[in-house]
Amino acid sequence: MRSSNTKKFAEADIKPERDLSAFKIKEKELVTSNTIKRGKSRLICWFNSKILKHRNDLEEKDNDILVFEYRKVIIVGLYRPFKCYEGESLNSNFKRLMHNIELIAKVAKDVVIIGDMNVNWNNLNRCSFKLDLEKFIDENSLDQVVDFNTRFRLVQGTMQESCLDIVMTNMTRTRVESQFHAQSDHLIITVSEATKHPKPTGRTQVTFLDWKWYSKESIMAGFNQFFRGINIYMKKPDLINNRISVAICSTLNVLVPKRTIMLPNPKSVTSSKIQTLKNRKTRAFKKWKRTNDTTDYERLKSISRKLNYEIKKIQKTNIASQCSKGPKQMWQCVNETLGKDGSKLVHLVNEGKKTTDRGEIANIFASTFIRKVNGIVEVNLAENFVIPNIFGTVPKPEDYFTLKEVSTAIRSLKRSKALSIDEIPSLVVKDLGETIVPSLAWLFNNIVETECIPKAWKISRIVPIHKKGETDDANNYRPVSNIPVFSKIFERCLVNKLLQIDNDKIFGTHQHAYRSGSSTTTACLTLQDFVCSEMEQNKLVLLYSADLSAAFDLLRASVLVKQMLRLNLSPKLISLVYNFLTNRCAYVDIEGSVSDLVDIHYGCVQGSVMGPILFNLYTSQLVEVLGDGTFSLSYADDSYVAISCSPNDLDETLISLQEISSKHTSWLRSLGMSINPAKTEFTIFGYQGPRVSFLFDGTRVHNQDNIKVLGVIFQSNMRWTAHVNKVIKSINYLNYSLRVLNIMMTKEQNKRVINAHIMSRVAYSIPVWGGNLNSIDKRRLNSLIFKTIRMHCRDFNNIFSNRQLCEMTGLRSLDSIRILADSLLLHKIVTMSSSSHLTMRLIQQTTFQGRCPNRLIFFDFSTKRIGRQSLINRAKRISELIPFPWIDLSPLQFKIKMKTTTPIYINH
């Protein structure tokens, strides 16, 4: 033990005839273990007799053991040799030593046992004494606090490590430290007595990458220096991948070294003044409770107000300081203030037990993700498709991937410094550019030839992303994978091959996700157009939504091959995709602590480039399965199915809808997907009668007045008050926090926050509902927008008009936002053919103007107000608001010109 004066045990080989006077230290007594009579002593100790009392009465003869007493704490130093003494076995020697320390443990209330038992805690098979030690520890309520390797020894050219040293104690205030010494093959273990109330260090160790010396020129020069090249005889993808990766990592070790610094811990909201006020408040509260006097109560309230004022003042100072450090810190501060940092993982609750250990949390996530998928697979078996022998027929490729295709894939990477499992940021690969293209092309083409994906690419690093609900429940997280950058480039090359085929074959005409020019807005517009067209003809529209559970994690590689064969894709492409999806594994990473490696038998990699495309291909047959006369719409794993009928045929149509839903669920089960009937919603547009229902997968579903479609609330009467209420509620929820941020931020920073958190909510899918609002809802939304702008300008006395506020800030009014969004979307549909349904409907109602061939004339064939809600029927009014020819403009040119020509304040 070590307190104010140091006491030292040392391991030594001292013979009886050795003169120990040379080892004496001034003011320290010297003592050796009592086996010196048997040839040599293995322990030596210097101690101060004023502090330590030598308890030789507790030391048995012929044991290498020393016992001291320090403030009623028994300290034991011991050594057990590898080789026993003459005339005894290793077993009897061990039992004699254990008998001695058992007697000591029974005598002492507090005990610390330090030494080398030569028992390897890490290898039970090689040391049978470990069980006896563990039994001794359990019976005496001790803890073995050394759980790291302490011995490092070179044996026959191999470095061996083991955990041989022990520190067993029943004291909670014991601290163990280790130190390396060049002259020893053991770590030096120091045991000290910690204070009862340890003071926080105030600093945290942080490891980071130092990009100060990095540049595009330096990374290219370093790569050329370390890269040994690839010859034409190198065919193994693993070897080629390793050679390229090692060259890049070696360069990064020089240019971007890892550094460790000590940063101060975040300051809590406290100061001497706040602490004084807290003490005064406590005393005032106790006095008021004792006297129950009104004067004392008023004094307590006054102190509370002063305390709250001081706390808020420091909070605001901290916000201002954080926001001035840079964009990343600013948005982190904004999200914390707005309560958007709920995904921050502090602990997990598993089987009723709270866990804070990061390694244990990682294993809980891994087992939860695997258990969830396996549970669905067990109850929902997919079609057993036997893969035909097509892979062996793949001919030898002749540069399946060209240099241009690989270069294009590299340029598509984002310039990110984030590290994947290979610790190569995409920023570095982009900067290497054409330097690395030939090597990667050689690697990719050899993968095609050998049909072998590098093993490193099949290991995914999973980071749990919070979806909703409590943050301490692992079931509320989504597994997102982080994969090597070379794998991302390879996937992009495969995706480009897939996208050379007709998109409607790959995605299906119903799918709006992961398609160029499509979005949730185009999906909602497609549904709105269908509903309005049918209601225009006095028909009812019956719509239900289907919610899938863990859709991406249930994709089967064999069933995907069947879908790809149906599309007559090349055997090369099918082989590459199949090999990429099979024999994968993953681990969960929580702040540097990782779980055990788990095998992944199902699913496409969430977070990969190719995953969404493969999922769309996997479910592309929905329209064919449901048949003619049925409307279907999908966005990723969210599906919506509808049919229309006359009001008199509602009962028969409900039966038809039930049959359609049976086809739908049976087809999804054949793909191995799982549907959650409890989350299914059903509504009837244009219907005002009593509640009706139909059976969906054995569960009776009743019609509701509203249905939520991709974040937009559709009412059965095609009005939008419910959605406006939702937008207003979400904005009002943020108002107080925005007021706090407004005081502490610069004008430009605060404007960015308003655009991100207020205007984005107003503008989301506004082409669907913005042009069809009644006057009350429009006035409510406008009032909320101008309230936010007025708060931004700190115009609390209404000095400026609404127009002046918009002109001062550059923030738009509701009608300006709507016109801009409608125009941009119309241009996208016309020029990019983003949605086949919307594009075909526009073609039916469009003609070119004779004298102005770059202008389109749209027709509105609707006869009722309900039909004019559709964007198709509003296209004529929207196009008339565009003050310039726009057919030949690119999307970027059109957007810039439209923003400059559209007034920021419009009040219709």
Side-chain angles (χ1 to χ4, degrees):
M1 288 292 282
R2 183 180 67 186
S3 61
S4 58
N5 289 353
T6 302
K7 284 70 66 176
K8 295 182 179 180
F9 288 106
E11 184 181 327
D13 287 313
I14 301 175
K15 295 184 178 180
E17 62 273 13
R18 183 74 180 267
D19 182 12
L20 300 180
S21 61
F23 295 95
K24 290 187 177 180
I25 302 175
K26 186 179 180 180
E27 298 181 355
K28 292 287 190 299
E29 294 189 26
L30 179 93
V31 64
T32 62
S33 55
N34 54 23
T35 54
I36 197 165
K37 298 177 181 179
R38 301 294 297 268
K40 57 184 176 181
S41 177
R42 296 304 301 261
L43 283 178
I44 186 171
C45 182
W46 297 265
F47 71 100
N48 188 335
S49 58
K50 295 180 181 179
I51 298 173
L52 283 182
K53 179 182 179 182
H54 184 203
R55 293 291 302 270
N56 53 7
D57 58 309
L58 297 177
E59 300 170 8
E60 291 188 354
K61 291 184 178 181
D62 301 333
N63 275 348
D64 286 308
I65 188 168
L66 289 171
V67 184
F68 297 90
E69 185 175 354
Y70 167 69
R71 294 181 182 175
K72 297 183 181 180
V73 178
I74 297 297
I75 306 167
V76 182
L78 56 84
Y79 174 82
R80 189 188 74 84
F82 277 114
K83 297 179 181 180
C84 60
Y85 302 113
E86 184 179 351
E88 70 174 352
S89 65
L90 284 171
N91 192 32
S92 61
N93 179 273
F94 177 79
K95 286 185 176 180
R96 184 158 47 82
L97 184 59
M98 287 299 300
H99 177 261
N100 198 168
I101 61 176
E102 283 175 0
L103 291 176
I104 296 170
K106 291 178 181 178
V107 171
K109 181 180 179 182
D110 295 329
V111 63
V112 179
I113 302 172
I114 313 164
D116 187 353
M117 288 289 287
N118 283 319
V119 173
N120 191 351
W121 292 82
N122 295 333
N123 195 332
L124 179 60
N125 297 328
R126 295 188 180 181
C127 190
S128 58
F129 298 132
K130 180 181 177 181
L131 294 176
D132 294 330
L133 269 177
E134 288 180 340
K135 182 180 178 182
F136 165 72
I137 289 172
D138 292 337
E139 289 178 352
N140 293 279
S141 302
L142 301 175
D143 292 319
Q144 157 68 338
V145 295
V146 176
D147 56 359
F148 48 87
N149 291 329
T150 57
R151 173 183 175 272
F152 305 87
R153 183 173 297 175
L154 192 65
V155 180
Q156 296 180 352
T158 304
M159 181 62 73
Q160 293 185 357
E161 303 177 6
S162 57
C163 181
L164 300 176
D165 296 278
I166 64 167
V167 176
M168 298 184 294
T169 182
N170 57 2
M171 298 175 61
T172 58
R173 302 194 307 273
T174 302
R175 185 172 62 203
V176 176
E177 299 169 350
S178 62
Q179 183 179 358
F180 174 76
H181 195 280
Q183 303 300 321
S184 175
D185 62 354
H186 277 254
L187 291 178
I188 298 175
I189 306 297
T190 304
V191 184
S192 58
E193 181 186 27
T195 57
K196 293 184 179 180
H197 304 288
K199 295 180 180 180
T201 61
R203 302 181 75 83
T204 304
Q205 182 173 300
V206 177
T207 302
F208 69 101
L209 294 176
D210 186 358
W211 291 85
K212 182 169 55 176
W213 307 110
Y214 176 86
S215 66
K216 185 175 181 179
E217 294 74 19
S218 61
I219 190 67
M220 293 178 68
F223 178 75
N224 291 329
Q225 177 185 351
F226 285 102
F227 186 51
R228 293 184 293 162
I230 301 172
N231 59 55
I232 59 174
Y233 302 105
M234 191 178 291
K235 297 291 186 181
K236 293 184 178 179
D238 281 298
L239 184 59
I240 302 171
N241 178 63
N242 289 342
R243 178 162 292 191
I244 302 172
S245 300
V246 167
I248 296 178
C249 290
S250 299
T251 309
L252 288 176
N253 288 338
V254 177
L255 295 179
V256 191
K258 286 185 179 180
R259 303 197 187 281
T260 301
I261 59 173
M262 301 297 292
L263 293 178
N265 292 332
K267 294 182 179 179
S268 59
V269 183
T270 186
S271 65
S272 58
K273 189 172 184 179
I274 288 178
Q275 191 60 48
T276 302
L277 287 171
K278 284 182 177 180
N279 295 338
R280 288 177 57 193
K281 181 180 177 181
T282 302
R283 291 193 296 268
F285 177 76
K286 289 180 179 179
K287 184 177 180 182
W288 170 67
K289 291 293 288 184
R290 187 174 64 251
T291 62
N292 202 21
D293 186 52
T294 307
T295 306
D296 293 335
Y297 179 70
E298 292 299 326
R299 182 170 175 270
L300 174 63
K301 285 176 62 177
S302 174
I303 295 173
S304 296
R305 283 194 295 269
K306 291 179 181 178
L307 177 61
N308 292 336
Y309 172 77
E310 291 296 329
I311 290 175
K312 288 180 180 179
K313 189 166 72 171
I314 290 184
Q315 284 177 336
K316 291 175 182 179
T317 304
N318 291 343
I319 291 173
S321 173
Q322 189 80 357
C323 290
S324 63
K325 292 179 180 178
K328 184 177 180 180
Q329 289 79 4
M330 187 197 85
W331 286 112
Q332 182 180 352
C333 177
V334 168
N335 290 332
E336 289 175 357
T337 307
L338 297 180
K340 298 293 181 180
D341 60 335
S343 60
K344 186 176 181 181
L345 181 61
V346 178
H347 65 270
L348 279 185
V349 176
N350 183 43
E351 297 179 354
K353 296 181 180 179
K354 183 178 177 180
T355 304
T356 57
D357 181 74
R358 289 296 184 256
E360 191 174 346
I361 288 175
N363 281 312
I364 292 173
F365 272 119
S367 60
T368 300
F369 294 150
I370 295 299
R371 185 172 61 248
K372 181 178 180 181
V373 172
N374 290 342
I376 297 174
V377 169
E378 289 175 2
V379 299
N380 191 20
L381 299 177
E383 175 188 358
N384 186 18
F385 177 71
V386 179
I387 300 175
N389 186 20
I390 62 169
F391 302 141
T393 63
V394 178
K396 181 179 179 180
E398 296 293 339
D399 288 339
Y400 187 72
F401 295 111
T402 64
L403 295 177
K404 183 178 179 181
E405 289 175 330
V406 176
S407 180
T408 302
I410 291 176
R411 287 197 300 271
S412 69
L413 291 173
K414 295 181 180 178
R415 293 184 62 84
S416 172
K417 292 182 181 179
L419 298 180
S420 57
I421 57 177
D422 58 354
E423 294 198 342
I424 300 178
S426 57
L427 165 71
V428 173
V429 180
K430 281 184 74 75
D431 285 344
L432 286 171
E434 299 302 320
T435 305
I436 203 174
V437 167
S439 301
L440 289 181
W442 181 262
L443 169 61
F444 295 167
N445 285 317
N446 274 280
I447 290 174
V448 179
E449 181 178 349
T450 59
E451 298 182 11
C452 178
I453 306 289
K455 294 179 182 177
W457 294 6
K458 293 198 172 188
I459 303 176
S460 302
R461 170 179 167 264
I462 294 178
V463 178
I465 302 298
H466 184 251
K467 296 187 295 184
K468 57 183 178 180
E470 298 295 332
T471 58
D472 58 3
D473 187 357
N475 294 301
N476 293 334
Y477 287 77
R478 176 186 294 109
V480 175
S481 299
N482 194 324
I483 58 177
V485 64
F486 293 160
S487 178
K488 293 180 182 178
I489 299 170
F490 180 72
E491 288 180 61
R492 174 54 60 187
C493 292
L494 286 180
V495 167
N496 291 339
K497 292 284 186 184
L498 282 169
L499 295 182
Q500 291 174 4
I501 308 165
D502 183 7
N503 278 3
D504 284 342
K505 286 185 179 180
I506 295 294
F507 299 111
T509 55
H510 64 287
Q511 183 62 259
H512 286 254
Y514 317 117
R515 299 183 68 164
S516 177
S518 294
S519 63
T520 55
T521 302
T522 60
C524 291
L525 283 174
T526 302
L527 175 62
Q528 184 191 43
D529 182 69
F530 172 76
V531 172
C532 290
S533 299
E534 297 301 313
M535 292 180 69
E536 179 94 356
Q537 303 173 40
N538 296 323
K539 290 184 178 181
L540 304 179
V541 178
L542 291 73
L543 173 74
Y544 73 83
S545 62
D547 181 81
L548 301 182
S549 300
F552 282 78
D553 298 324
L554 296 173
L555 185 144
R556 318 295 176 94
S558 59
V559 179
L560 180 64
V561 169
K562 178 184 176 183
Q563 301 288 70
M564 298 176 79
L565 289 172
R566 180 181 60 85
L567 297 174
N568 295 321
L569 301 184
S570 70
K572 295 177 189 177
L573 194 56
I574 297 176
S575 173
L576 290 172
V577 171
Y578 180 80
N579 286 329
F580 182 82
L581 290 178
T582 52
N583 300 319
R584 299 191 67 91
C585 56
Y587 65 90
V588 177
D589 188 342
I590 303 293
E591 298 178 3
S593 299
V594 299
S595 70
D596 298 330
L597 209 60
V598 293
D599 294 327
I600 306 295
H601 301 291
Y602 310 97
C604 54
V605 184
Q606 290 198 49
S608 69
V609 177
M610 196 163 52
I613 309 298
L614 295 182
F615 179 80
N616 283 353
L617 193 154
Y618 196 71
T619 58
S620 60
Q621 281 186 286
L622 178 62
V623 175
E624 300 174 22
V625 169
L626 298 181
D628 296 335
T630 304
F631 171 86
S632 59
L633 171 75
S634 293
Y635 191 89
D637 57 343
D638 293 321
S639 298
Y640 304 89
V641 178
I643 55 175
S644 60
C645 68
S646 65
N648 297 328
D649 298 332
L650 179 59
D651 294 336
E652 293 81 358
T653 308
L654 284 171
I655 297 174
S656 300
L657 188 66
Q658 184 169 316
E659 294 174 354
I660 290 170
S661 68
S662 297
K663 288 182 188 178
H664 190 186
T665 54
S666 300
W667 171 70
L668 288 173
R669 286 201 171 86
S670 70
L671 298 178
M673 297 293 169
S674 175
I675 302 175
N676 188 354
K679 292 187 178 180
T680 298
E681 295 182 349
F682 168 50
T683 193
I684 305 177
F685 291 99
Y687 179 68
Q688 298 179 349
R691 298 286 183 193
V692 295
S693 63
F694 76 104
L695 280 176
F696 181 82
D697 196 28
T699 302
R700 186 158 293 280
V701 182
H702 296 269
N703 71 305
Q704 303 295 326
D705 294 333
N706 306 330
I707 185 170
K708 193 173 183 179
V709 180
L710 303 174
V712 179
I713 300 178
F714 281 71
Q715 294 178 228
S716 59
N717 58 3
M718 287 303 288
R719 295 182 181 176
W720 304 99
T721 302
H723 183 75
V724 171
N725 290 339
K726 174 199 165 195
V727 173
I728 292 176
K729 182 179 179 181
S730 65
I731 295 176
N732 280 332
Y733 178 78
L734 303 174
N735 266 348
Y736 175 76
S737 300
L738 287 172
R739 196 179 302 121
V740 173
L741 291 171
N742 182 45
I743 298 172
M744 305 312 302
M745 286 181 163
T746 65
K747 288 289 184 182
E748 187 59 33
Q749 288 175 337
N750 189 247
K751 182 179 174 181
R752 289 164 62 188
V753 173
I754 290 174
N755 277 321
H757 289 281
I758 301 297
M759 297 305 179
S760 62
R761 282 172 165 77
V762 175
Y764 177 71
S765 292
I766 197 171
V768 180
W769 53 271
N772 312 289
L773 297 178
N774 59 43
S775 58
I776 296 176
D777 290 337
K778 186 184 292 188
R779 188 163 55 249
R780 292 169 64 206
L781 267 177
N782 255 325
S783 174
L784 186 61
I785 291 172
F786 289 120
K787 177 183 176 182
T788 303
I789 300 176
R790 204 170 289 279
M791 180 183 66
H792 170 66
C793 296
R794 303 181 188 177
D795 179 27
F796 303 112
N797 296 322
N798 296 337
I799 298 174
F800 302 105
S801 66
N802 291 341
R803 182 185 295 276
Q804 289 173 321
L805 290 172
C806 289
E807 291 173 351
M808 289 166 54
T809 61
L811 297 171
R812 297 181 178 272
S813 66
L814 177 65
D815 286 317
S816 179
I817 294 172
R818 177 182 57 79
I819 291 172
L820 187 61
D822 285 349
S823 304
L824 294 175
L825 191 60
L826 181 64
H827 180 270
K828 183 185 292 185
I829 295 172
V830 171
T831 59
M832 298 182 66
S833 300
S834 56
S835 167
S836 58
H837 175 89
L838 295 176
T839 303
M840 291 301 297
R841 290 273 286 121
L842 271 178
I843 290 174
Q844 296 171 6
Q845 299 180 218
T846 308
T847 184
F848 278 97
Q849 189 175 7
R851 294 187 179 181
C852 300
N854 59 349
R855 269 194 176 275
L856 287 176
I857 295 297
F858 298 94
F859 298 98
D860 179 4
F861 294 110
S862 59
T863 58
K864 299 180 180 178
R865 183 177 178 276
I866 197 71
R868 292 188 175 90
Q869 288 203 18
S870 170
L871 179 81
I872 308 305
N873 294 326
R874 288 189 289 118
K876 184 175 184 295
R877 284 185 291 163
I878 295 171
S879 63
E880 290 172 351
L881 295 174
I882 303 176
F884 53 85
W886 52 274
I887 295 298
D888 297 329
L889 296 179
S890 69
L892 181 59
Q893 291 172 330
F894 180 79
K895 183 175 182 179
I896 294 173
K897 202 164 185 178
M898 196 66 200
K899 279 189 171 182
T900 56
T901 57
T902 304
I904 60 174
Y905 177 79
I906 300 175
N907 187 19
H908 286 164

